[in-house]
Amino acid sequence: MVLGLVAVTILGASCGSGSGSASAPAGRPTLDIELRDFAVRLDRIHLRPGRTEINIENLGPTMHELVISRTRLAIPELPMDGSGIRLDEGASSLKPVLDISDVDRLERRRRVVDLSPGHYVVFCNIPGHFLGRMYAELNVSPAERTA
């Protein structure tokens, strides 16, 4: 059984603060993610499994990164690396789904990922950002909730 699906399709990237973004094909779920200093905001925390369009926007005053990993662990149980200021992205308890480095200030990016049922953590792993609570949780299940 494969726990983390890593099928990622690059749809394109647009820089700047323009709002031009194509909508997802009918029926494809979307997840809008805002990166701000020490906050990751998701427009929803429950999704159905399958191909999902991820729309990322960095509204913070600095560069960020976006990592999505599938895990069975709660946030306080996630493994830190040797520095103690970043998550250990290579730990067996984290199954990578998406990793986008160097998202510039006011930049927007879009990706499509395949999400299998499970619990995910969405975070910035620039040193100190995860410790600053720059993360969110996402749940994927066949019975999508609207909360």
Side-chain angles (χ1 to χ4, degrees):
M1 177 172 128
V2 175
L3 290 178
L5 297 175
V6 190
V8 177
T9 304
I10 298 175
L11 288 179
S14 62
C15 297
S17 59
S19 62
S21 105
S23 60
R28 178 180 293 162
T30 62
L31 176 64
D32 294 334
I33 302 174
E34 287 182 1
L35 304 174
R36 297 176 178 268
D37 268 5
F38 304 108
V40 172
R41 294 195 176 120
L42 311 180
D43 72 333
R44 65 180 81 201
I45 59 169
H46 299 282
L47 286 172
R48 291 186 182 150
R51 291 179 60 79
T52 302
E53 182 176 304
I54 308 290
N55 299 304
I56 304 123
E57 185 173 17
N58 180 358
L59 297 174
T62 63
M63 184 178 297
H64 290 294
E65 71 174 333
L66 177 77
V67 181
I68 301 176
S69 291
R70 187 164 180 232
T71 185
R72 294 177 186 251
L73 299 178
I75 295 282
E77 301 168 333
L78 292 172
M80 301 303 285
D81 71 3
S83 72
I85 59 174
R86 299 182 70 221
L87 278 184
D88 181 359
E89 292 181 45
S92 62
S93 57
L94 292 171
K95 306 298 180 198
V97 173
L98 183 63
D99 189 342
I100 302 174
S101 312
D102 303 333
V103 181
D104 286 324
R105 183 178 77 82
L106 302 179
E107 183 177 5
R108 295 176 184 207
R109 296 201 192 173
R110 182 176 34 201
R111 302 289 189 271
V112 172
V113 297
D114 256 332
L115 297 173
S116 58
H119 173 256
Y120 294 80
V121 62
V122 181
F123 59 98
C124 177
N125 210 22
I126 289 175
H129 287 207
F130 181 83
L131 287 178
R133 304 183 57 86
M134 195 167 175
Y135 54 77
E137 294 180 270
L138 175 67
N139 294 293
V140 177
S141 66
E144 177 184 4
R145 292 181 271 175
T146 57

